[in-house]
Amino acid sequence: QVHLVESGGGSVQAGGSLRLSCTGGEFSDPVYTLGWFRQAPGKQREGVAHLAQDVRDSETYYPDSVKDRFTISLDKPERTLYLQMNNLKPEDTGLYFCAFRRARLRTALALTDATNYQYWGQGTQVTVSS
């Protein structure tokens, strides 16, 4: 049973940092895709950080909007997925979700498509003020 729960959201000023956490999954599968998505009011849910692994290797993917500012990581012993967000901007404001799929997604299009993920948390709010 996978029941994802996000935490770590809050309100920060532009240029600040936050670290989001996601727990509730075993995260011990040899093949998986994990992702962080965000949704701003009136906008579609968008992928911001992704981690995909199979028995051969793993990869991360970030869209240009967050590249070099966001970092996704998985602490397997702690069963926790993290999203480190630095140099936050007002446009980063939104409800942030973690998501999980028991398969490896390979292309940027597949990784960032929310419909490809099987399990979701309820979200944690991030608000960045200018």
Side-chain angles (χ1 to χ4, degrees):
Q1 187 74 13
V2 178
H3 179 65
L4 302 178
V5 178
E6 303 91 343
S7 61
S11 297
V12 297
Q13 289 194 323
S17 297
L18 283 173
R19 188 176 76 161
L20 306 183
S21 301
C22 173
T23 58
E26 288 290 329
F27 299 147
S28 60
D29 303 58
V31 181
Y32 59 82
T33 302
L34 290 161
W36 286 97
F37 289 76
R38 69 185 177 198
Q39 189 163 19
K43 293 189 176 182
Q44 285 192 331
R45 194 168 295 191
E46 64 168 332
V48 295
H50 308 273
L51 172 62
Q53 175 156 334
D54 63 22
V55 295
R56 289 175 298 179
D57 62 12
S58 65
E59 66 175 340
T60 56
Y61 172 78
Y62 307 91
D64 288 344
S65 58
V66 306
K67 196 174 292 182
D68 299 325
R69 299 190 298 120
F70 288 13
T71 303
I72 187 172
S73 61
L74 176 63
D75 187 328
K76 282 192 174 183
E78 294 295 324
R79 300 177 183 178
T80 303
L81 179 71
Y82 295 103
L83 180 65
Q84 178 66 44
M85 305 186 294
N86 298 327
N87 190 21
L88 282 160
K89 304 176 180 181
E91 52 264 41
D92 295 320
T93 294
L95 189 60
Y96 281 70
F97 302 87
C98 62
F100 173 63
R101 179 186 171 106
R102 294 187 191 278
R104 178 169 179 168
L105 300 171
R106 294 193 174 273
T107 68
L109 196 61
L111 288 163
T112 57
D113 185 349
T115 64
N116 287 330
Y117 291 78
Q118 297 166 296
Y119 303 98
W120 290 85
Q122 294 299 307
T124 184
Q125 179 68 34
V126 172
T127 303
V128 185
S129 58
S130 57

